[in-house]
Amino acid sequence: MSLLSLIAALLLEQFKPLEFRNEFMRAFARFANKLERKLNAGEYKHGLIAWLIAVVPACALTVAVYYLLFRLSPALAWAWNVVVLYMMMGFRHFSHAFSGISEALKIGDADHARQLLSDWTNQNTTEMNDGEVSRLAIEQGLIDSYRHVFGTIFWFLILPGPAGAVLYRFATRLAQKWGDRDQAGADQFGRFAMLMQTLLDWAPIRLTSVSFAIVGDFEDAVYCWRSQAQAWTNYDYGILLASGAGAIGIKLGEPLHQDNTLKFRPELGIGDEADADYLASAVGLVWRAVLLWLFLILLFSVTHWVG
């Protein structure tokens, strides 16, 4: 059932993709904002309570509905899996942005490419050249593919029903909303959200990086992972980006012209400088990794059934 649910959700999203910030996730964001306004007193325990209120009831309800439908009919439970996965996953979220940026760069419309990238990443891109736009787009695409596809799939397979998909996507959203402001240490509210994100990411981000190596340039991916990942600000994302860059055969990271200064960033990957053509290579890498995961899930399912 898990494999068929994943395939159906991926196909449904290809034919009718949801918006990047769809109404369901916007509603959750509003709920998270309301929790923060009511509970944030700058302490760790308040963030823990808010996280539990935001995530645990949603996961429990998802599981309850799944088992209720399963008692009525396995087909209904399968359909529930597909619906929840469709709302939680988002392969087209990043591939659509990739396509727009790539096409704009190929026809020489750098201003439009920068605007698309800014809308996607919420960063100032007005000073970036074509190479910097390509690098940042590939980096964001690899991270988004992990968040919206691989991380979601992993936890969907681990927990009963579609609860794992809900857990991972909600936890990721809370870490983005509450965690970034806590890096200076003044506000403790988002620390639990960041801790949970780190714990939930540990296994799937490494499996995703291994997948990139298998379907890409294995030797370069492993070399970049081992020698470059620790230099990135976020070590887990450093693993993901370094292995992805090595697998594709390009350089990521490196300085960016942004906010009237040159922002230093470590170099990730080896090989060519990123350009518009490599955006398509990045999408191809992600698709091959997705197919690898589906094949392994099929192999495990058949082995389990035979056993």
Side-chain angles (χ1 to χ4, degrees):
M1 182 179 290
S2 295
L3 177 63
L4 295 177
S5 300
L6 287 169
I7 293 174
L10 287 169
L11 289 175
L12 182 60
E13 207 234 345
Q14 290 301 306
F15 288 106
K16 191 174 179 59
L18 291 173
E19 295 180 6
F20 178 58
R21 295 176 178 88
N22 60 75
E23 187 57 39
F24 180 78
M25 292 307 294
R26 283 198 292 265
F28 178 73
R30 290 193 294 269
F31 178 58
N33 290 335
K34 185 176 180 179
L35 281 176
E36 183 179 9
R37 287 194 300 270
K38 290 183 175 296
L39 297 177
N40 186 4
E43 296 187 21
Y44 179 85
K45 63 180 179 182
H46 298 144
L48 186 155
I49 294 170
W51 191 96
L52 293 175
I53 293 173
V55 176
V56 173
C59 293
L61 178 61
T62 303
V63 172
V65 172
Y66 172 80
Y67 282 117
L68 176 62
L69 293 176
F70 191 85
R71 288 174 65 88
L72 297 174
S73 169
L76 292 176
W78 172 81
W80 177 244
N81 276 352
V82 173
V83 169
V84 175
L85 282 171
Y86 175 62
M87 291 189 295
M88 294 296 107
M89 294 175 66
F91 191 96
R92 289 288 297 275
H93 292 170
F94 74 93
S95 63
H96 178 72
F98 254 48
S99 300
I101 294 169
S102 178
E103 291 171 6
L105 290 175
K106 285 180 179 179
I107 64 174
D109 192 352
D111 289 339
H112 185 51
R114 285 191 286 266
Q115 184 59 53
L116 290 173
L117 183 62
S118 178
D119 293 342
W120 181 21
T121 64
N122 293 319
Q123 295 189 47
N124 181 10
T125 62
T126 55
E127 304 163 45
M128 296 183 186
N129 58 40
D130 290 4
E132 292 170 340
V133 169
S134 298
R135 289 203 309 272
L136 189 58
I138 293 173
E139 292 166 14
Q140 189 67 40
L142 292 176
I143 291 173
D144 277 5
S145 72
Y146 166 72
R147 289 173 178 167
H148 293 283
V149 182
F150 298 103
T152 305
I153 290 176
F154 177 86
W155 286 105
F156 167 70
L157 296 172
I158 295 297
L159 297 182
V166 175
L167 168 67
Y168 184 76
R169 290 294 293 121
F170 281 12
T172 298
R173 193 72 186 94
L174 293 178
Q176 291 173 323
K177 289 187 68 63
W178 297 345
D180 291 342
R181 72 196 66 174
D182 301 333
Q183 293 182 10
D187 186 351
Q188 300 291 308
F189 183 78
R191 288 192 63 193
F192 183 77
M194 292 299 292
L195 172 62
M196 288 303 301
Q197 184 68 52
T198 300
L199 294 175
L200 292 172
D201 276 340
W202 194 93
I205 212 165
R206 285 159 176 78
L207 289 175
T208 304
S209 300
V210 170
S211 302
F212 287 164
I214 292 173
V215 300
D217 188 321
F218 185 86
E219 185 176 350
D220 285 352
V222 173
Y223 169 78
C224 294
W225 176 344
R226 296 180 60 185
S227 62
Q228 298 175 333
Q230 67 274 10
W232 201 250
T233 304
N234 183 311
Y235 177 58
D236 284 342
Y237 284 145
I239 292 173
L240 184 74
L241 296 177
S243 62
I248 299 170
I250 58 171
K251 294 178 182 177
L252 298 178
E254 300 187 321
L256 291 178
H257 290 89
Q258 197 173 47
D259 300 325
N260 298 313
T261 187
L262 187 63
K263 289 190 173 181
F264 172 78
R265 305 184 312 155
E267 181 181 288
L268 298 176
I270 54 177
D272 299 331
E273 298 294 331
D275 58 25
D277 293 331
Y278 278 112
L279 270 70
S281 299
V283 173
L285 178 77
V286 173
W287 263 118
R288 293 195 300 274
V290 169
L291 293 176
L292 174 64
W293 277 45
L294 293 178
F295 173 75
L296 293 175
I297 295 169
L298 173 62
L299 189 63
F300 178 80
S301 300
V302 171
T303 302
H304 180 73
W305 179 76
V306 172

